[in-house]
């Protein structure tokens, strides 16, 4: 048997062994996905494909962290170009004299250099910089993968440099060093200068060694992947393609009326959830932006995914299933989450953390494992329809004192229906803001009304806390009046209500257009129904999680501020990267244990670091509450003032007298 025959047989055996082993290791994962809940992720496939290509080849999310993004692009692009090398190397074995066009040799060698640079940067980042977000990741696995990639690059150069000298003996063809393949060309001249190129045995051995380091390591890499975090090499592309498309805020799973959303076993997840567990790159970007983690809470979104993944692997290896909620993932981790969605926004492979956390919380609730304060709120929602435990008849009490009575939309038709929300209705500190909004609407001549005591909490937080049944009850109470009332559009001052009405209620057939009050007021100004005078102040604006990140409403609040002649100075974390106030997901009612720094305090410190900014503008009742307290707790009362966007608009149109700017220290 000739040397060529040996390489052919060896290549086939290695390919079959690696592929069969890979399939055997992957089949149990796909079986779990088959048993999991269904979810539709194949709609709008053309837009999905376009989005995926932009993320994969454009590295849009990865490049948000410059060093990590660049080094990943070098390594990733090397894998793409590696296919050229694989075709060329295997083609030489099976078709004597086979060789791709010379310019492709240059492309391969150039990317070998880029990949090696990427590997050096990756090792530097892991060994020297040591980002905190890597904590908890399998460092050993990371170095194994980097080592395998490095060996492949060395193999490419080695077999390329020995090929012209080994080809006459192995394949009975003549070849020359190709200057386009500059790395092999340079190394080949080293072999010539040392005389190694002219020894047939050495030339053949060097070529075969390079081939095995190249193609052999590629196939070994394939076999290793199912047990490695780098399985995302195969799963990242489909995961991005199957990402949750708009509406972004949707959390209610597609299910029968009598089903719950509790996740107790892996079969309670949907199949995309299971795919997510093995798609995680362990990069820790989700952990780096998590407000709960930053506050010193036990939650790391990354570790939630890894804990679930490792538990599933143990289960697939034959071990007894473990309780997921409160076991694999602790109750303390789950209740720390603010459901802000920052983890999902940062994830380069579009893992969906929040639905999993909400489902695991649902299991805790069923077992009675819930914070006492939160339990009181849940009871208040159930009995009184609000988080304050107040009678429903007191919901419209804030309307007293207005010059013009607000219409009851249950009794007479209105153009605009205002869904007020709990905090704006019951919190004494926020009721004045609600009256200002009403006065602005009256100034603009808008025919509007509210549901009075017919309104209940929209249920957004109940759902995020895992109380699907309670959410459904609240939704149906509201839908009863929303369906009976006559109106053209609905708006709300509460982003949490906005999210529920706009996204979650669609599951129950609610299709009325829903807007946030910043969008509504912007329209009124553009229509000439409100004419604000320039305020000439310098402010910063906080993007509420459920308005911005979950529903992509970023421009309207900023355009509204611009219409009022306000100079906006952005905080470093803004837009989709905004930092949560800490109130979401029910956290506003929960006890704070082990908190190093509240998210709202962290955010205020970020704001006061901006030059000459005196106002911190919010567009959410919970934000007003959280950040006003944070200004006091951080001792910045004389440095910055928290104001609602409606307050500024009321000043700009002359409803209230503008305040003097807060004095700077």
């Amino acid at each position: 048997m000739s040397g060529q025959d040996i390489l052919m047989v060896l290549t086939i055996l290695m390919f079959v062994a690696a592929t069969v082993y890979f399939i055997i290791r992957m089949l149990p994962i796909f079986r779990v996905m088959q048993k999991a809940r269904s979810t539709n992720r194949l709609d709008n496939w053309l837009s999905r494909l376009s989005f995926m290509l932009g993320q994969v080849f454009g590295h849009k999310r990865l490049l948000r962290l410059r060093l990590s993004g660049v080094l990943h692009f070098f390594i990733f692009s090397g894998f793409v170009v590696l296919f050229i090398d694989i075709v060329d190397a295997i083609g030489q074995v099976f078709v004597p004299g086979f060789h791709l066009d010379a310019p492709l040799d240059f492309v391969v060698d150039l990317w070998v250099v880029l990949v090696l640079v990427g590997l050096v940067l990756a090792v530097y980042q892991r060994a020297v910089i040591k980002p905190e977000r890597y904590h908890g990741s399998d460092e050993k696995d990371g170095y194994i993968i980097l080592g395998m990639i490095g060996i492949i690059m060395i193999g490419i150069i080695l077999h390329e440099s020995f090929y012209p000298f080994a080809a006459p003996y192995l394949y009975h063809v003549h070849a020359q060093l190709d200057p386009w393949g500059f790395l092999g060309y340079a190394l080949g001249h080293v072999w010539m200068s040392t005389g190694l190129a002219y020894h047939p045995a050495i030339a053949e051995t060097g070529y075969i060694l390079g081939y095995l380091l190249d193609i052999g390591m590629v196939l070994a890499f394939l076999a290793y992947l199912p047990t490695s975090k780098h399985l995302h090499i195969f799963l990242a592309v489909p995961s991005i393609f199957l990402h949750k498309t708009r509406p972004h805020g949707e959390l209610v799973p597609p299910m029968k009326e009598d089903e719950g959303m509790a996740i107790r076993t892996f079969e309670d997840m949907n199949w995309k959830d299971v795919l997510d567990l093995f798609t995680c790159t362990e990069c820790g970007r989700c952990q780096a932006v998590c407000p709960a983690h930053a506050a010193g809470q036990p939650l790391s979104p990354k570790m939630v995914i890894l804990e679930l993944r490792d538990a599933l692997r143990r289960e697939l290896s034959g071990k007894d299933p473990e309780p997921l909620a409160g076991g694999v993932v602790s109750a303390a981790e789950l209740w720390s989450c603010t459901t802000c969605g920052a983890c999902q926004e940062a994830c380069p492979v579009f893992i969906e953390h929040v639905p999993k956390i909400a489902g695991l919380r649902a299991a805790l609730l069923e077992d009675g494992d819930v914070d006492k304060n939160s339990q009181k709120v849940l009871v208040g929602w159930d009995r009184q329809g609000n988080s304050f435990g107040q009678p429903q008849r007191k919901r419209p009490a804030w309307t007293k004192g207005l010059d013009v009575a607000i219409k009851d939309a249950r009794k007479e038709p209105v153009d605009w229906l205002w869904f007020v929300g709990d905090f704006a209705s019951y919190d004494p500190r926020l009721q004045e803001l609600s009256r200002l909004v009403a006065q602005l609407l009256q100034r603009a001549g808008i025919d509007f009304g509210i549901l009075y005591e017919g309104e209940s909490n929209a249920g957004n937080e109940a759902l995020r806390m895992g109380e699907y049944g309670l959410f459904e009850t609240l939704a149906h109470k509201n839908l009863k009046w929303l369906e009976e009332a006559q109106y053209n559009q609905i708006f709300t001052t509460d982003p949490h209500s906005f999210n529920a009405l706009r996204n979650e209620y669609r599951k129950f057939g609610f299709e009325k257009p829903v807007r946030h009050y910043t969008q509504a007021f912007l329209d009124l100004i553009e229509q000439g129904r409100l004419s604000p005078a320039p305020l000439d102040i310098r402010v910063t604006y906080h993007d509420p999680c459920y308005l911005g990140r979950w529903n992509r409403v970023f421009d309207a609040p900023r355009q509204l501020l611009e219409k009022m002649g306000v100079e906006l100075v952005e905080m470093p974390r803004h837009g989709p990267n905004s930092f949560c106030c800490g109130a979401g997901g029910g956290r506003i009612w929960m006890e704070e244990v082990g908190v190093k720094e509240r998210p709202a305090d962290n955010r205020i410190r970020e704001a006061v670091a901006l030059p000459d900014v005196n106002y911190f503008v919010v567009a959410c009742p919970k934000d007003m509450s959280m950040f006003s307290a944070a200004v006091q707790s951080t001792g910045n009362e004389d440095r910055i003032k928290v104001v609602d966007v409606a307050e500024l608009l009321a000043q700009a149109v002359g409803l209230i007298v503008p305040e003097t700017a807060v004095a700077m220290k």
Side-chain angles (χ1 to χ4, degrees), residues 510-526:
F510 181 68
E511 296 181 350
K512 285 281 190 178
V514 183
R515 296 194 298 169
H516 187 249
Y517 73 128
T518 55
Q519 297 171 309
F521 283 139
L522 179 62
D523 283 351
L524 293 179
I525 293 173
E526 292 178 342

Side-chain angles (χ1 to χ4, degrees), residues 381-402:
W381 282 330
D382 185 38
R383 294 179 181 175
Q384 288 90 26
N386 64 82
S387 56
F388 289 81
Q390 294 293 313
Q392 281 290 82
R393 58 182 172 79
K394 290 187 177 182
R395 183 176 283 275
W398 64 269
T399 64
K400 295 178 180 178
L402 289 172

Side-chain angles (χ1 to χ4, degrees), residues 27-45:
L27 276 177
I29 298 173
F30 289 122
R31 290 194 187 104
V32 175
M33 291 174 64
Q34 282 183 317
K35 294 179 181 179
R37 286 176 174 168
S38 64
T39 180
N40 181 19
R41 300 302 178 90
L42 297 176
D43 57 325
N44 304 318
W45 67 272

Side-chain angles (χ1 to χ4, degrees), residues 596-612:
K596 294 189 298 185
E597 182 181 45
R598 295 181 183 90
D601 293 358
N602 183 305
R603 189 67 160 158
I604 289 298
R605 294 187 195 282
E606 182 178 3
V608 297
L610 300 173
D612 303 323

Side-chain angles (χ1 to χ4, degrees), residues 291 295 338 423 427 429-430 433 496 542 544-545 579-592 595 597-605 616 618-634 640-643:
T338 68
F423 271 72
D427 191 321
R429 298 167 297 177
L430 301 173
L433 285 175
H496 299 258
H542 170 77
C545 301
F579 192 70
C580 179
C581 73
R587 285 299 309 170
I588 193 169
W589 300 290
M590 297 180 195
E591 292 184 4
E592 295 181 330
V595 175
E597 182 181 45
R598 295 181 183 90
D601 293 358
N602 183 305
R603 189 67 160 158
I604 289 298
R605 294 187 195 282
F616 186 99
V618 297
C620 170
K622 289 187 176 71
D623 284 343
M624 174 60 77
S625 176
M626 297 295 288
F627 290 123
S628 295
V631 167
Q632 293 181 348
S633 63
T634 58
I640 200 165
K641 178 178 175 61
V642 180
V643 293

Side-chain angles (χ1 to χ4, degrees), residues 344-358:
Q344 298 181 177
E345 185 70 35
C347 181
V349 291
F350 289 77
I351 287 171
E352 296 155 20
H353 308 75
V354 175
K356 298 174 187 57
I357 290 174

